[in-house]
Amino acid sequence: LFSSGDELLEADSPLSEGKIHDSNSYSLAALIEDAGAEVLRLGIAKDTRESVEDLLQKAVNEDVDLIVSSAGVSVGAFDFVRDVIESNGKLDFWRVNMRPGKPLAFGEYRGIPFVGLPGNPVSAFVGFKVFVLPVLERLGGQLQGASPRVKVRCGEKIESDGRESYLRAKIGTENGIQTAVLTGHQGSGNLLSLVQADALLIIPAGVKCVPASQEVEAILL
């Protein structure tokens, strides 16, 4: 597991102008361990090709089963992860039609499966739950998914943009029925709304409006 970006600092480092704390390495490491896997934290790759190659080579040297990164797979001038992966392996796909978490990549690096998650913390979390967790479960011999999905009733009207969406929500019981309301602003950088959530509401692709009281599927957190 590694993060990517010159703007990232370790959690115990004081912030300076233009810097943010690397929250993804903590949340993703916790999710990986919770799935029963061992985490090798490689740290933060700087925005240079050489730094990305060095960290990926460490993963190869450790003979890991899966490489997971956050950030660096978009189309920015300093996003080198995708380029390095393609130079020494392949990408089977890049970008998915979902929200949050569109800039997600999957492929392999020197024969090792690779998943590149987005840099925004909520996008990285959702991308992990949807794509990486099933991979870890299968690698560990678990054929049935551990994240339960249930039907819940919307406690409010919910609007979407037509992409398959995973929206942070809080579930309560109303007249004996599980009812969900959103935890506020759904921006992909809003960790607070994720901390407050106990479910991800799944709004199917092509649906732009879900009326209050309609049932939708949810992933329990």
Side-chain angles (χ1 to χ4, degrees):
L1 173 68
F2 70 94
S3 302
S4 174
D6 284 347
E7 73 278 12
L8 298 178
L9 294 173
E10 295 291 351
D12 57 354
S13 299
L15 287 177
S16 56
E17 186 176 355
K19 301 291 185 179
I20 57 174
H21 285 132
D22 176 23
S23 59
N24 287 347
S25 65
Y26 294 90
S27 60
L28 294 175
L31 288 167
I32 292 168
E33 289 178 345
D34 193 51
E38 181 181 349
V39 184
L40 175 64
R41 288 180 60 178
L42 297 175
I44 300 170
K46 297 298 182 184
D47 287 327
T48 67
R49 185 182 183 90
E50 293 74 22
S51 180
V52 174
E53 288 176 336
D54 286 346
L55 290 192
L56 287 171
Q57 188 57 48
K58 288 181 181 178
V60 173
N61 293 343
E62 292 286 342
D63 193 26
V64 300
D65 298 296
L66 176 68
I67 299 171
V68 177
S69 73
S70 65
V73 294
S74 193
V75 293
F78 300 103
D79 291 330
F80 288 101
V81 176
R82 180 184 173 205
D83 184 46
V84 172
I85 293 292
E86 289 185 310
S87 298
N88 298 276
K90 66 174 183 176
L91 282 185
D92 292 292
F93 67 80
W94 173 63
R95 292 195 296 191
V96 289
N97 190 33
M98 65 180 277
R99 155 180 174 263
K102 182 178 179 180
L104 184 140
F106 173 76
E108 65 175 56
Y109 182 80
R110 301 191 187 278
I112 300 172
F114 164 81
V115 180
L117 296 171
N120 281 322
V122 179
S123 299
F125 180 93
V126 172
F128 181 93
K129 296 291 283 188
V130 175
F131 292 99
V132 181
L133 181 57
V135 173
L136 294 179
E137 291 171 341
R138 185 59 61 93
L139 286 172
Q142 184 176 337
L143 303 184
Q144 297 295 324
S147 295
R149 296 192 176 195
V150 299
K151 292 282 190 179
V152 299
R153 187 173 68 179
C154 293
E156 59 186 325
K157 176 183 176 182
I158 297 175
E159 295 185 350
S160 183
D161 65 358
R163 288 179 287 169
E164 181 169 296
S165 299
Y166 294 80
L167 306 181
R168 287 142 273 169
K170 190 77 175 174
I171 296 180
T173 302
E174 189 175 297
N175 298 323
I177 299 173
Q178 284 192 306
T179 303
V181 293
L182 300 183
T183 56
H185 181 251
Q186 295 289 307
S188 57
N190 190 344
L191 268 178
L192 177 61
S193 66
L194 179 59
V195 171
Q196 294 171 331
D198 52 26
L200 296 173
L201 300 188
I202 305 172
I203 310 301
V207 175
K208 293 191 174 182
C209 182
V210 179
S213 78
Q214 182 169 315
E215 277 196 339
V216 296
E217 201 171 36
I219 298 174
L220 298 181
L221 303 179

